[in-house]
Amino acid sequence: MVPELENATVRIQRPERVAGIIRSLREQGASKLQVISDFDMTLSRFGCSGGRCPTSHSILNDSRVISEDGRKKLKDLLCYYYPVETDPNRTLEEKQPLMVEWWSRVHELLAQQNIRKGDIAQIVRESGVMLRDGFKELFDQLHKYSVPLFIFSAGIGDILEEIIRQANVFHSNISVVSNYMDFDESGVLTRFKGPLIHTYNKNNSVLQGTECFQQLSTRTSIILLGDSMGDLTMADGVPSVESILKIGFLNDKVEEQRGKYLDAYDIVLERDETLDVANGILRYILTET
């Protein structure tokens, strides 16, 4: 059915169930399908050239437009809050207010840095960010069959849009919900627009009433791509889901997180820097027999 599911990086806890979902997605066809995806470390790579690939936040945080003092403060915030975000012993209820606090403090700091709208393209160009191998096939295939790609990101919308644009795959079927910058009339960042999106509120609470969400409500077959537990709720606002296939990239702390990921995601991809599995599934669903 999908040869890529035999790849060494693939783990599936319930193979018969997954095969059934993929068959249903194919039967329902392209007109019912949408792809809902996280961006950082899902569409973009986790690692590249032996190190960590930058995220849409770190691209900005580590760029030349941030002062030495600003960079230090951002690093201190990361060192304090990141262990909270990834702590397996804390509940979501405990994490939520702390994530709001972290994102808000980062955004306030960035707004003090005199960042100019005109600098963003160059910042992205100099960053070394990479989309996962196979990104062109994924984006082009979805566009060819008019399948919406809905990117739901707790990163920075202006940065991730620029990454996609520079990769020449920002097609008309893409919509993005993320944290967007607000610039004054002279093009300087003054604040971030609401609502604030962090790792653990990626659900319909921040989507209600948005135009793109109304359009996507008729698309009842879903492929969801994510890399964290917070990504599992990204499709919660779609009113009547017929079939949903959840694909999770397990990028880090693989052994200790494997069980949790296998329980939550239909397909788990361990240390896989490609989109081969998603592309294989899409080829099977979208190609006429």
Side-chain angles (χ1 to χ4, degrees), residues 25 29-34 147-148 219 221-223 282 285-286:
L25 292 170
S31 63
K32 290 275 198 78
L33 183 65
Q34 64 173 310
V147 173
R219 299 274 182 160
S221 304
I222 296 167
I223 295 176
L282 283 168
I285 293 169
L286 298 171

Side-chain angles (χ1 to χ4, degrees), residues 7-220:
N7 291 2
T9 56
V10 176
R11 285 186 183 260
I12 300 173
Q13 194 154 272
R14 297 174 292 276
E16 295 79 14
R17 184 176 173 275
V18 168
I21 296 170
I22 294 171
R23 274 195 297 273
S24 300
L25 292 170
R26 183 182 169 112
E27 281 158 22
Q28 283 144 15
S31 63
K32 290 275 198 78
L33 183 65
Q34 64 173 310
V35 175
I36 299 178
S37 182
D38 170 50
F39 184 79
D40 289 308
M41 298 178 286
T42 297
L43 292 174
S44 70
R45 290 177 60 127
F46 176 77
C48 38
S49 356
R52 282 286 302 272
C53 237
T55 64
S56 57
H57 265 113
S58 69
I59 285 171
L60 193 56
N61 297 357
D62 298 336
S63 72
R64 59 186 165 75
V65 299
I66 307 295
S67 68
E68 203 59 53
D69 178 55
R71 209 170 293 173
K72 186 192 175 302
K73 286 176 176 166
L74 288 163
K75 201 173 173 91
D76 290 346
L77 290 173
L78 178 72
C79 292
Y80 180 76
Y81 288 106
Y82 183 67
V84 174
E85 181 189 6
T86 55
D87 184 349
N89 303 312
R90 286 190 197 232
T91 64
L92 281 181
E93 289 68 37
E94 287 176 88
K95 290 180 180 187
Q96 284 259 16
L98 292 162
M99 293 303 100
V100 171
E101 198 174 277
W102 182 15
W103 259 252
S104 302
R105 291 177 73 180
V106 166
H107 290 171
E108 279 163 27
L109 251 170
L110 291 173
Q112 295 161 14
Q113 295 295 311
N114 205 30
I115 295 166
R116 308 189 72 83
K117 190 174 189 174
D119 291 334
I120 287 174
Q122 191 60 26
I123 289 169
V124 169
R125 220 169 275 125
E126 292 169 356
S127 71
V129 68
M130 291 170 77
L131 293 173
R132 286 188 188 270
D133 295 355
F135 76 86
K136 191 171 176 357
E137 182 183 346
L138 181 92
F139 282 78
D140 289 353
Q141 204 175 183
L142 294 175
H143 181 236
K144 178 184 172 185
Y145 289 95
S146 305
V147 173
L149 171 56
F150 179 59
I151 297 171
F152 198 170
S153 171
I156 300 177
D158 311 74
I159 301 278
L160 73 86
E161 282 199 10
E162 185 59 32
I163 295 167
I164 298 168
R165 209 171 280 118
Q166 289 185 15
N168 296 315
V169 288
F170 205 117
H171 303 311
S172 55
N173 61 317
I174 296 175
S175 45
V176 181
V177 168
S178 187
N179 297 297
Y180 278 92
M181 299 169 160
D182 207 357
F183 299 95
D184 64 17
E185 56 286 349
S186 57
V188 176
L189 173 68
T190 54
R191 63 184 189 102
F192 278 76
K193 300 169 186 173
L196 185 143
I197 300 167
H198 58 76
T199 315
Y200 297 117
N201 71 341
K202 293 170 78 171
N203 53 47
N204 51 337
S205 67
V206 292
L207 291 175
Q208 265 149 1
T210 62
E211 188 189 327
C212 62
F213 207 66
Q214 254 94 58
Q215 291 166 2
L216 299 177
S217 60
T218 57
R219 299 274 182 160
T220 51

